Amino acid sequence: RGLAERDPAETLPFQLAEQAATPWVARSAENSVPVAYDVGAPQDAYLRQGAQAVDSLRDWNEELQSIREMARETLGDRVLRDRQLHKWHAEFVEAAIPGAMAVVGGELVPLNPTDPVDQHMFLRDNIFYSKGFDGRETFAQLGGDSAAHVATGKDITGVRLLNQLDTQGLHTLGSVVVDYCGVRVVAQSVVPGVFRRQEATPIVYGSVDQGVTVGADPEFHQLLEPVAKALHFAEHEVANDAGDLAKLYTSADVKGLTGTDGRKYVLDLYRMTPVDIEFLESECNEDGKFPAYPHKVVLLRPELVDTFWEQSTRKAVMEHVAAKVKQEKDKEGEDAKDKEEIEEEDLLKGFDFSLSFSPDAFTPIQEKSPADESLSSAVRGASQFLRDVSVPALARDLAAYVSTPLSGDALTATMHQRGINMRCLGRIAELLPTDSSSVRNIRRRVVVEMIARAVKHVLRRLFRLAPSHLHSEVFALVANCLVGSRYCASPAQHLTPAAKSVAELAAMTPQTLAEEVRAQVALRFRFALAEDFVSSLAGYETMLLREVCVKIGAQLALRQYYFERPTEASVHAAVMATMDPAVKMTKPVKRQIKDKVDCVLARPLAVFADDVMNFVARTKVATHKSSFADEAFEAGRLALEKGDRALGLEMLLESLALHEQTFGFLHSESARCYSVVSLAHYDAGEYALAAEYMTKAVVISERTVGLDDPLTIHNYLNLALYEHARGNSLLALRLMRHAMDLWSLVNSSDHPDLATAYNNIAVMLQSLRLYDDSLRFFRACLDVRVEHLGADHVLVAGAQHSLAKVYAVTGDFKSAVQVERDAHMFFSSKFGDDDPRSKETGEWLAELTFNAVRTAKLSKAAKEKIREVASTASLMQMEQREEPVSKGHLPIDDLIKFITGRPSSSKPKPSGGPRGKGPKGSRR
């Protein structure tokens, strides 16, 4: 399509927006699409920064802090400030990624070249880089490199929390964590004056030496008070080695310093939540069923702390109200007022409840400090709440398909929203029944997520052992051992000599990799994988390979991958599917097809090293959110749920405008707003507007979160529904086909949400009068729902009712009656005979039964008629055969021939026919 025919969202550049999506499969050189040269690309720096600023270095920290100090009184001020903050974060991440990749590749000179490699620090473009290793043994007692690796990610979470609180006068650094080729790099803006030599430590709050000295600056203490209140932290005492006590709000590991610019900075924010003490005591030792957890930086998530605090407060309020009502009844006897009659102020009068936590509870620094039992018990209560309430509740919702995550990222987001750490995956898998087919899909999803994360740790270790030019071979070897063992039982024999020189690679087999993956899963998720877990995942190799690629940042060549030896017919069909149907099958074309088929059949491995095209950096960022845009979005969504369409649509459009002003047009939040707005128009019957908004949502989600992200897939499914409502059923079917193809990359065909997709496809086919094809998809919808929900469910009964209608259209009234009878019995038994659904299915059942009986009678009569006609015809034939025929009218020669059965004359005919030769050989 030409540029004018495209949607604007397809061509807009990524400015003031989040990073473009990086797919896990990409076009190789031989099948890439030619791209026109961008003449303006070399001038991009001049266009953005001007001729004078191109060669100068940006002061990232000064820019960030100046933006934070902008006015925030009016809505316009807040929108402008949020826009500038997001723009700064996007540009900082864009600048930090190449620097982090250069650090991993050894292209930068360290600031401290004489120190060990793991302690090296780097400076490039005014961005400070350090590796996520415990080079200075700060985490020696907590797990070393494993603890340091986790702490860097938790630090980003702490920065995000403080950015959301947006406390005036308190500053954080610009931070981003970059994972590239198995190495974690932390990129930060530079604190003013940090490189100046100072006699005294600049840390005035917290401890920089594991509790030897503890600072408690009063100004910092006052600034952190609103932060502690928002995070439910209490003031607690921490003792240094000399026994002096210091009062802190945050953990002693959180450091506060005053920069040379006079601003107050807080650093090392990885302990902004309490310790998961139940997990620490049960799993971080050698006494249990599994080996000790690799580190002790096991913290609760902030969402869990908020949920526990809210539920504890609600429980205390209910107990107080119950006691108040009981007290009123005891005083007034029979004339006591009910709970509804007592005013709210009187009910809450005298209510006094507080629940606070100590971020230093159950940490090494707290052991030498006076302990507050109330704070410690609150921390233990939150940890028990995670183990006994949150995790089982999520497992129940997954088993009941209240929550249906489609991919590993979706499962991670679901767990994090509920405050559940990923280390609880094993516990969730144990709570899901193994012998039930209804939870087979979600349990496989959980197990695949554990395996993919375990493989990520294996690859990190191998990447550190092998030089960078062998990383493609390392990934290909692991992929072949993991998902290609049925294709080649010994992938290591195909390694290059350079790769074979690495002993770990040369000795790797599918069996050794499986054992290491099982060990990693047991170590990190406290779950015992089955010994045959590789064979149990046969048929789901693409799903597992995708998860591994996404987590490690690998990009594979875009082609058909076979995980067992293919047949020539299947390869030929796959090659023909990629050909243009208009191409004529000439000899050169057939030769080209044969060469492609032979090339595929000759491949000794499922994944070649040449198939691994690239490794991209994975980032964790402290993204800034617009509070006004989120509030408007939630208000609009709630208004729509209450039925106030006008107000809801107005608030959603306001939220969409705020999102676009803050984040730019190309942002996943903008796609979310577009999808909800389109749903509102669809519910109002405005199908054209709904399809228009959903088209924008599809394009934006494709460019921001990826082609096969669950958000993009669901947007495609909704767009197909809207196009069908507009009357474009053929286009809707093409969109559904595309969405189902993407679905096959992410999940399997037994996912419960596929029932809705099958039902929509069947309705579209039915509108096109393709009843036989529609019947197949209605049956598939019913099968999926019966498998996951059981036969006794309202959705199953609804599917049976739809299926019965299609049976009736196709004329199979007998099957229609059987299916409709089951639906009617369910609705009648569950909701009574007066329920509208019971009445509708009853009417349909009566009509279908009448038609079935009528059809059976007609069929019986027709069969009898056919039998009568057939018997009459046979009698006539018998009469014709038995009737004597007189031969007296024939000539004598023919009579002799009839009697003897021989020809009447023995003279042969000439072989040449009427122009045969005469007696002398000449022509007559």
Side-chain angles (χ1 to χ4, degrees), residues 615-860:
F615 290 97
V616 297
R618 314 296 299 176
T619 59
K620 291 186 177 182
V621 297
T623 53
H624 181 79
K625 289 190 175 182
S626 174
S627 57
F628 284 110
D630 290 341
E631 290 171 4
F633 179 82
E634 290 299 324
R637 189 176 58 82
L638 291 175
L640 288 177
E641 290 179 356
K642 293 179 180 178
D644 193 346
R645 177 182 174 274
L647 177 60
L649 195 56
E650 180 183 356
M651 296 302 297
L652 286 174
L653 292 175
E654 180 68 22
S655 172
L656 179 59
L658 290 173
H659 274 102
E660 290 183 351
Q661 292 177 23
T662 304
F663 303 117
F665 191 76
L666 294 178
H667 197 277
S668 57
E669 293 296 322
S670 299
R672 184 171 62 118
C673 289
Y674 273 116
S675 63
V676 177
V677 171
S678 69
L679 178 60
H681 284 295
Y682 175 75
D683 292 337
E686 300 168 347
Y687 303 132
L689 278 175
E692 180 182 352
Y693 278 108
M694 186 53 72
T695 300
K696 295 182 183 296
V698 165
V699 175
I700 296 173
S701 58
E702 278 187 340
R703 298 187 65 186
T704 55
V705 297
L707 292 170
D708 55 357
D709 188 84
L711 175 63
T712 305
I713 295 174
H714 286 300
N715 285 345
Y716 263 115
L717 293 173
N718 290 333
L719 178 59
L721 190 62
Y722 302 163
E723 290 291 349
H724 169 67
R726 293 179 65 188
N728 300 330
S729 297
L730 288 177
L731 175 60
L733 285 172
R734 287 198 294 268
L735 293 171
M736 292 294 292
R737 173 62 183 270
H738 183 64
M740 300 304 290
D741 289 341
L742 296 176
W743 191 297
S744 64
L745 299 176
V746 179
N747 210 298
S748 55
S749 59
D750 58 351
H751 193 276
D753 287 351
L754 274 181
T756 304
Y758 288 152
N759 182 79
N760 293 340
I761 294 173
V763 171
M764 295 172 190
L765 292 169
Q766 191 174 6
S767 68
L768 295 174
R769 300 183 181 276
L770 301 174
Y771 300 117
D772 292 336
D773 295 331
S774 174
L775 187 62
R776 290 173 43 228
F777 282 97
F778 273 125
R779 285 173 181 166
C781 170
L782 180 60
D783 292 341
V784 172
R785 284 182 171 162
V786 169
E787 179 182 1
H788 293 95
L789 304 174
D792 193 17
H793 197 276
V794 63
L795 292 179
V796 174
Q800 290 171 336
H801 182 51
S802 300
L803 181 60
K805 292 180 181 179
V806 184
Y807 273 131
V809 172
T810 58
D812 189 356
F813 291 103
K814 182 178 180 181
S815 300
V817 168
Q818 294 176 352
V819 176
E820 190 69 16
R821 184 183 294 113
D822 295 337
H824 179 66
M825 290 178 61
F826 173 82
F827 286 128
S828 299
S829 61
K830 289 292 183 180
F831 306 105
D833 294 333
D834 296 333
D835 188 81
R837 290 166 292 188
S838 301
K839 292 181 179 179
E840 182 182 0
T841 53
E843 293 173 357
W844 271 90
L845 181 59
E847 185 68 23
L848 291 173
T849 304
F850 172 77
N851 283 304
V853 173
R854 182 169 176 270
T855 304
K857 290 180 178 179
L858 291 175
S859 176
K860 183 178 180 181

Side-chain angles (χ1 to χ4, degrees), residues 317-330 347:
V317 169
M318 294 176 63
E319 292 176 352
H320 177 78
V321 169
K324 200 77 172 178
V325 172
K326 185 175 183 301
Q327 185 179 1
E328 286 287 331
K329 288 184 177 180
D330 293 341
L347 282 175

Side-chain angles (χ1 to χ4, degrees), residues 100-216:
M101 296 170 68
V103 168
V104 176
E107 301 172 14
L108 299 185
V109 179
L111 299 175
N112 52 343
T114 59
D115 292 344
V117 175
D118 290 347
Q119 297 182 15
H120 283 175
M121 298 177 291
F122 307 86
L123 186 67
R124 173 179 172 175
D125 296 338
N126 272 344
I127 300 178
F128 179 74
Y129 298 94
S130 60
K131 295 182 180 180
F133 300 123
D134 188 24
R136 301 186 181 277
E137 298 184 354
T138 305
F139 299 94
Q141 299 180 359
L142 301 176
D145 287 344
S146 296
H149 183 91
V150 173
T152 54
K154 296 293 184 183
D155 181 62
I156 295 295
T157 303
V159 173
R160 189 183 301 119
L161 281 175
L162 288 189
N163 288 345
Q164 291 174 359
L165 296 175
D166 203 7
T167 305
Q168 196 163 359
L170 198 62
H171 300 267
T172 58
L173 300 179
S175 303
V176 57
V177 170
V178 182
D179 288 314
Y180 180 66
C181 290
V183 179
R184 173 162 287 187
V185 179
V186 183
Q188 294 177 316
S189 58
V190 180
V191 181
V194 72
F195 292 117
R196 295 183 182 179
R197 186 178 298 276
Q198 301 177 8
E199 295 181 0
T201 176
I203 304 298
V204 296
Y205 196 84
S207 176
V208 74
D209 46 19
Q210 291 83 49
V212 177
T213 59
V214 180

Side-chain angles (χ1 to χ4, degrees), residues 343-365:
E343 295 184 1
E344 184 177 351
E345 295 182 358
D346 295 336
L347 282 175
L348 296 179
K349 191 175 182 180
F351 177 71
D352 183 17
F353 175 78
S354 63
L355 178 66
S356 300
F357 307 91
S358 170
D360 283 324
F362 306 106
T363 61
I365 199 171

Side-chain angles (χ1 to χ4, degrees), residues 436-553:
S436 175
S437 62
S438 62
V439 298
R440 180 172 53 198
N441 180 276
I442 189 59
R443 194 174 191 277
R444 185 193 310 120
R445 176 77 274 165
V446 174
V447 171
V448 166
E449 183 67 11
M450 288 190 289
I451 294 172
R453 289 175 175 267
V455 173
K456 178 182 68 174
H457 289 284
V458 173
L459 284 169
R460 280 178 177 169
R461 182 181 64 83
L462 295 176
F463 281 163
R464 295 194 67 185
L465 294 175
S468 59
H469 67 277
L470 294 179
H471 285 178
S472 295
E473 280 199 80
V474 172
F475 185 88
L477 175 62
V478 172
N480 286 309
C481 290
L482 183 66
V483 298
S485 58
R486 291 189 298 162
Y487 196 105
C488 178
S490 180
Q493 66 181 349
H494 298 283
L495 291 173
T496 62
K500 289 182 179 179
S501 63
V502 182
E504 291 273 353
L505 302 181
M508 179 174 289
T509 63
Q511 292 73 26
T512 58
L513 177 63
E515 287 300 320
E516 188 170 1
V517 169
R518 292 182 73 249
Q520 287 290 335
V521 170
L523 177 68
R524 299 183 183 277
F525 303 106
R526 332 306 289 168
F527 182 77
L529 276 177
E531 294 185 0
D532 61 340
F533 75 92
V534 175
S535 59
S536 66
L537 293 175
Y540 309 104
E541 292 91 350
T542 301
M543 180 173 66
L544 178 56
L545 182 61
R546 176 190 178 274
E547 292 295 337
V548 174
C549 290
V550 168
K551 285 173 174 53
I552 205 66

Side-chain angles (χ1 to χ4, degrees), residues 242-423:
D244 300 328
L245 297 178
K247 292 185 177 181
L248 302 176
Y249 277 120
T250 57
S251 170
D253 292 323
V254 175
K255 304 166 183 60
L257 62 88
T258 303
T260 55
D261 56 356
R263 298 186 178 102
K264 306 292 184 182
Y265 295 91
V266 283
L267 313 173
D268 295 342
L269 302 174
Y270 59 89
R271 278 199 185 275
M272 295 301 289
T273 53
V275 175
D276 186 359
I277 181 59
E278 293 292 321
F279 188 90
L280 183 68
E281 292 178 346
S282 62
E283 304 295 346
C284 295
N285 52 61
E286 299 287 350
D287 300 335
K289 174 182 176 182
F290 301 102
Y293 199 68
H295 62 84
K296 297 182 179 179
V297 187
V298 286
L299 308 177
L300 300 173
R301 291 193 60 83
E303 299 89 349
L304 187 282
V305 175
D306 290 338
T307 303
F308 176 69
W309 187 88
E310 290 174 2
Q311 292 206 7
S312 299
T313 304
R314 188 181 299 112
K315 181 180 178 181
V317 169
M318 294 176 63
E319 292 176 352
H320 177 78
V321 169
K324 200 77 172 178
V325 172
K326 185 175 183 301
Q327 185 179 1
E328 286 287 331
K329 288 184 177 180
D330 293 341
K331 283 184 179 181
E332 302 180 12
E334 296 181 356
D335 298 331
K337 299 179 180 179
D338 293 332
K339 178 180 176 181
E340 291 77 9
E341 299 177 358
I342 305 176
E343 295 184 1
E344 184 177 351
E345 295 182 358
D346 295 336
L347 282 175
L348 296 179
K349 191 175 182 180
F351 177 71
D352 183 17
F353 175 78
S354 63
L355 178 66
S356 300
F357 307 91
S358 170
D360 283 324
F362 306 106
T363 61
I365 199 171
Q366 187 66 45
E367 295 176 356
K368 54 186 178 183
S369 306
D372 190 329
E373 292 299 329
S374 63
L375 300 182
S376 300
S377 62
V379 172
R380 186 174 292 277
S383 181
Q384 292 172 347
F385 179 81
L386 170 64
R387 183 193 62 188
D388 300 333
V389 178
S390 293
V391 172
L394 176 60
R396 287 193 299 270
D397 288 348
L398 292 175
Y401 290 102
V402 175
S403 178
T404 56
L406 189 59
S407 66
D409 291 340
L411 176 62
T412 302
T414 300
M415 294 178 64
H416 286 174
Q417 287 172 0
R418 297 177 178 235
I420 300 175
N421 305 83
M422 299 310 293
R423 61 175 175 269

